[in-house]
Amino acid sequence: MQDLLATPIEFLKGVGPQRAALLRGELEVHTYLDLLQHFPFRYVDRSIFHQVKDLVEDMPQAQLRGVLGPLRTVGEKQGRRLVSTFTDASGTVDLVWFKGARWLHASLKPGQQYILFGKPNVFKGRFSFPHPELELAETREQVLEAALQPVYSTTEKLTAKGLGSRAIWKLQKTLLGQLVGSIPETLSKELIDWLSGLSREEAFRQVHAPQDQTRLDAAIHRLKFEELFFIQMLLLKQKLLLQQQLRGNVFGSVGDHFNTFYKEHLPFELTGAQKRVVKEIRKDMGTGRQMNRLVQGDVGSGKTLVGLLSMLIALDNGFQSALMAPTEILAQQHFATLSRFLEGLPVVVRLLTGNTKVAERRSILEALRAGEVHLIVGTHALLEDRVVFKQLGLVVIDEQHRFGVAQRARLWAKSAVPPHVLVMTATPIPRTLAMTLYGDLDTSVIDELPPGRKPIRTVHRYDSSRSAVFGFMEEEIAKGRQIYVVYPLIEEADPAKMNGQDLKDLTDGFESITRRFPLPKYAVSMVHGRMDQATKDYEMARFKKGETNILVATTVIEVGVDVPNASVMVIENAERFGLSQLHQLRGRVGRGAEQSFCILMTGDKLGNDARARIETMVRTNDGFEIAETDLRLRGPGDLMGTLQSGLPEMHIADLIADAALLQQARQVALRLLDLDPGLRDPKNASIARSLAERMKGKPVWGRIS
Ligand code: ADP
Ligand code: MG
């Protein structure tokens, strides 16, 4: 029965090879099922009639009953068009067509009663309908096909070939006629009843040709639920498989290194969230299965320490750990932080990057192989084949979205039993997205900042008040603070795409700042991604050591750079940054005891989205709230770009609008797999069959390393 839905679309009556090619190319419709899943994006209620006097300017469409006036051709050449009028008891509107005049002359009958349907525009104070749909009133009286008519998305190319919304509707009806009794059920009776009783076939029928609003709503609800439910079932099922398959080292005990550090060296109390996450990690690493855990924590929430504590547990169990960072600067910083934390403890920490000198590298590699290095911190250099561990037990990856999946996979090869993997990210992933993307992973959230932090104060300033901003910077420098000024050199990773104007803005900015803050009283440094590594490191180091007051930079400083004395972040052209990027940049300040500030500079004219982004930044410091807003503004597709991961295909459900239903679908799936993990109960047979169908040929995805 499933086979009928898999029939290629060209075999449907009214399609044929040419239209099939178009449907495939334009709408990704290959099979009968694909067509059924090309859902209407809205409905018009054709039982409602308007009167000319009731028309208002921004109506999406209106339906009138009246008399068609005479047809006239007006205008010259390009401006040539066919016009007419349409009159009901309350008034008259204009009609206009820019093409098809010959056909219209032949088929329309002026003076007759028509039903008109279309979008009203206001032109020179009168309502006008471009290219209205016209239907003889007497025909309509005979066949009112349906009150609620679906509207399908289509493309210009399709419309030109006669496959507009109405034609697609017709195909749907032909198909449904052919499929009577042949659309297999995918849910259990129990679930169907719970979801208001529509079978899958009935739901498809109601969605494409609704009988009334109630049944339409029930159909949409069922189909959305079904879609979200199977996404969750797939993810959860894969998680179960993964857990059965992946053997991991058992870190059964917590020993001296952890305990001594925790009791005698930890300079502060862990936050509640840190304690909870460390506990989750400990539990994972003790199970005998490989840990794949994602730790999300806002900037400054103390992820590094959580990583360190996990590495000490590995060490207590006789294993080495690696901490990987996406950049040289970050690796150095982590190395310095860990070394400081571990001072006086018998733990050997080394740093390995592309810049490590040959002799030193050789000694590090030897010590790693001999098991004399306990923790190694580094960049991609750690992935090289010559890096061999005696016994690698844990890999901690900072800021995962900068690492490719393939690169991470190379770590697996370094150990007979795959190491536990902990990924730490400061990019908060909205809950709904995380549930669909990482539903098969374990995630922890550090949702609490260490005590005593002063929330960063964020303000929006227009370019016109630059001198006041400079004045403020001067005051802060006088107090001994340091300042970041960031420019949007967005494409710098790819010089071919780079915008020359951006680089000019950056260098102009640098010049005007050095003019306003001149030597010898002030010092200004600059870094951007197109500098060579040595210059970049040098400039960065000067700022870190406090030798310069201002760092003019691009987004190279976005991730992880830690200079506690820097308390002001000025972001130029803030309207050009995405929300999560703004939030990451802001996270560079607010790391010390002083009050920190973030100043968002923009031009006077702001688009709606840009304004919403700036307002969100000014309103809140909460990374998760920002991520949710980002999701709403940009949509999941765009957000995915930055997360490098595949979002499951969705036809009818929407991650933002249907968040509550997603939550429900997940709960139902969890419960079902809990009660019947193998889906062997006969009453779940249709679910089992559909799931097996969907799992065919799918790799185990979602794994983070
Ligand atoms: P992020 O999560 O952004 O990586 P870090 O790990 O860099 O945050 O921590 C930010 C700062 O907070 C560091 O200076 C760190 O030493 C400090 N810190 C971490 N945990 C605590 C805590 N429980 N109490 C006080 N300070 C903490
Ligand atoms: Mg960090």
Side-chain angles (χ1 to χ4, degrees), residues 358-375:
V358 177
E360 198 188 346
R361 173 188 305 271
R362 197 173 305 136
S363 94
I364 291 175
L365 291 179
E366 261 165 42
L368 264 181
R369 192 168 319 153
E372 288 153 13
V373 170
H374 304 128
L375 311 186

Side-chain angles (χ1 to χ4, degrees), residues 465-620:
S465 41
R466 181 171 307 277
S467 63
V469 171
F470 277 162
F472 176 74
M473 288 164 64
E474 192 175 353
E475 287 168 25
E476 288 298 302
I477 293 173
K479 289 189 210 156
R481 304 286 103 74
Q482 288 168 283
I483 298 174
Y484 296 102
V485 181
V486 175
Y487 284 84
L489 190 53
I490 285 166
E491 300 286 4
E492 65 184 336
D494 180 358
K497 275 199 277 176
M498 208 194 66
N499 181 344
Q501 185 59 42
D502 279 348
L503 193 54
K504 186 167 177 307
D505 288 349
L506 175 80
T507 42
D508 285 357
F510 178 71
E511 262 171 39
S512 78
I513 286 168
T514 41
R515 224 176 299 123
R516 179 65 172 69
F517 297 94
L519 286 164
K521 186 166 177 207
Y522 299 99
V524 183
S525 41
M526 172 159 84
V527 293
H528 61 78
R530 307 204 66 209
M531 284 174 160
D532 62 66
Q533 191 63 43
T535 317
K536 210 158 66 180
D537 291 346
Y538 171 76
E539 290 283 299
M540 205 54 231
R542 284 209 306 157
F543 186 69
K544 271 192 94 155
K545 280 187 255 166
E547 291 168 12
T548 58
N549 311 97
I550 301 175
L551 178 67
V552 176
T554 59
T555 52
V556 287
I557 61 148
E558 183 184 328
V559 173
V561 172
D562 191 18
V563 182
N565 190 48
S567 65
V568 182
M569 166 65 66
V570 180
I571 303 177
E572 294 284 346
N573 292 116
E575 68 270 33
R576 289 185 47 197
F577 291 93
L579 253 181
S580 59
Q581 218 174 8
L582 289 172
H583 182 62
Q584 286 295 318
L585 286 169
R586 178 167 62 183
R588 297 310 104 218
V589 297
R591 315 196 131 233
E594 310 303 330
Q595 175 63 53
S596 288
F597 302 89
C598 174
I599 303 173
L600 305 171
M601 303 290 296
T602 72
D604 293 342
K605 287 225 171 63
L606 285 181
N608 284 341
D609 276 9
R611 187 168 297 281
R613 289 198 295 271
I614 304 281
E615 282 170 4
T616 305
M617 287 293 293
V618 171
R619 185 182 70 242
T620 181

Side-chain angles (χ1 to χ4, degrees), residues 298-300 302-304 330 333-334 398-399 424 426 559-561 588 591:
D298 218 337
V299 278
K303 294 185 291 292
T304 315
L330 277 181
Q333 199 172 280
H334 277 315
D398 198 13
E399 300 304 345
M424 304 193 298
V559 173
V561 172
R588 297 310 104 218
R591 315 196 131 233

Side-chain angles (χ1 to χ4, degrees), residues 425-445:
T425 177
T427 310
I429 301 161
R431 269 188 64 74
T432 50
L433 208 53
M435 248 193 278
T436 8
L437 274 176
Y438 300 126
D440 58 339
L441 294 180
D442 299 302
T443 59
S444 299
V445 179

Side-chain angles (χ1 to χ4, degrees), residues 268-271 274 298-304 341 450 453 591:
F268 36 66
E269 178 81 3
L270 290 186
T271 62
Q274 284 172 318
D298 218 337
V299 278
S301 61
K303 294 185 291 292
T304 315
F341 271 131
R453 294 276 169 81
R591 315 196 131 233

